[in-house]
Amino acid sequence: MGITKLFDQFYRHLPDETFQKEFTTGQFCYIAAFQLDVVPWVLEVKRSDPTGHIKLDFDIRKLCEGDYCRTEDLPIYHLYLRYNEELIVQKSKRRPGIIISSENIIFDDISKILKDKKKKHLQQKCVLVVPIFSKETTLSPSGFPPEMVARIKALMYKQFFYCPQPPKGFKTIEGIARLDRIQVIATSSFPSNRRVFEPVNMGLTEEVTGVFVGMLREWLAIPGRSKDIDYLKTIKEIVAETLPPL
């Protein structure tokens, strides 16, 4: 039920010649998705030898008062760690995701200047991705429970979007796209490192992308065109009628 019944076709194939070169809104990919900790974990690093840079000791602890303002420790050269910086430790999982933004303006002349100044991070090729989380199953008991999935299909949550099981011939991607877990992913390492980012030759259809982007706009409280707002409102009214009782 829900949104999956409104569209005859939920997914579309992307051209084999371009899907790895020209990324589009609604395109699927795989990314290294990070877990959001309420209080981040810090890798506290100290030199084992005060005269060297190689041997280190470390502790893992929660971020606390006093972090980002060290004044006495010697900087760790090989970690490029400054006095006002900390190493954050996060759990990560390879997940499918949906690209929502893939347009970055890159100037070659500026790239050369930034490279010479060792500031390449100020201009990078990146995409904005919404990661997809699994439903509750026997193999994945920590996923979204069926009572919640039914409401997500009916578009009851601004921050969640349901992706159904694709038909045969498509990459197996099913789950809940979490708009509240949007990530910026650097793509400059692709295709040499597909663990960081790997595009897929499948995407949402234009009609479904319209709903997906509309929900993102609504969740971020970004004003939109009146016809787009009315379209999403109409879709929500229709799928709300399919909501089953608890």
Side-chain angles (χ1 to χ4, degrees), residues 22-198:
E22 302 171 5
F23 312 131
T24 61
T25 299
Q27 180 177 358
F28 285 83
C29 62
Y30 281 90
I31 62 170
F34 300 109
Q35 174 179 295
L36 178 64
D37 293 312
V38 176
V39 180
W41 289 93
V42 172
L43 186 71
E44 186 175 23
V45 182
K46 294 183 179 181
R47 299 185 186 197
S48 299
D49 178 2
T51 63
H53 295 283
I54 304 299
K55 295 182 179 180
L56 303 173
D57 294 324
F58 68 89
D59 292 313
I60 297 177
R61 58 166 176 77
K62 288 289 190 180
L63 190 71
C64 64
E65 193 74 24
D67 285 331
Y68 301 113
C69 54
R70 295 188 307 277
T71 57
E72 298 179 359
D73 293 344
L74 292 172
I76 309 298
Y77 176 76
H78 289 293
L79 294 177
Y80 303 101
L81 196 64
R82 301 181 178 91
Y83 292 119
N84 61 344
E85 297 176 334
E86 302 291 349
L87 288 176
I88 299 297
V89 180
Q90 284 183 295
K91 190 158 60 173
S92 175
K93 184 176 180 180
R94 180 171 164 83
R95 294 185 183 277
I98 304 174
I99 297 173
I100 57 174
S101 177
S102 59
E103 295 183 7
N104 276 332
I105 299 175
I106 303 293
F107 294 99
D108 292 337
D109 52 350
I110 295 297
S111 294
K112 184 180 184 308
I113 293 173
L114 293 178
K115 182 178 180 181
D116 294 339
K117 291 178 176 288
K118 301 187 185 310
K119 297 181 179 180
K120 293 191 294 182
H121 63 284
L122 297 180
Q123 184 174 254
Q124 292 177 295
K125 294 181 179 179
C126 299
V127 293
L128 204 56
V129 177
V130 175
I132 296 174
F133 289 67
S134 59
K135 301 189 303 179
E136 178 184 307
T137 64
T138 303
L139 297 177
S140 181
S142 63
F144 282 84
E147 298 86 355
M148 201 171 180
V149 172
R151 279 157 175 69
I152 293 171
K153 289 181 179 180
L155 306 181
M156 299 295 289
Y157 301 96
K158 292 181 180 180
Q159 71 272 34
F160 301 139
F161 185 83
Y162 178 70
C163 296
Q165 176 65 34
K168 189 175 181 181
F170 284 97
K171 193 91 172 178
T172 301
I173 293 175
E174 181 184 16
I176 309 300
R178 295 196 59 173
L179 302 176
D180 59 352
R181 293 293 186 270
I182 294 174
Q183 283 189 221
V184 178
I185 304 294
T187 60
S188 54
S189 66
F190 178 79
S192 60
N193 192 334
R194 294 174 181 266
R195 296 290 96 176
V196 176
F197 172 76
E198 182 178 7

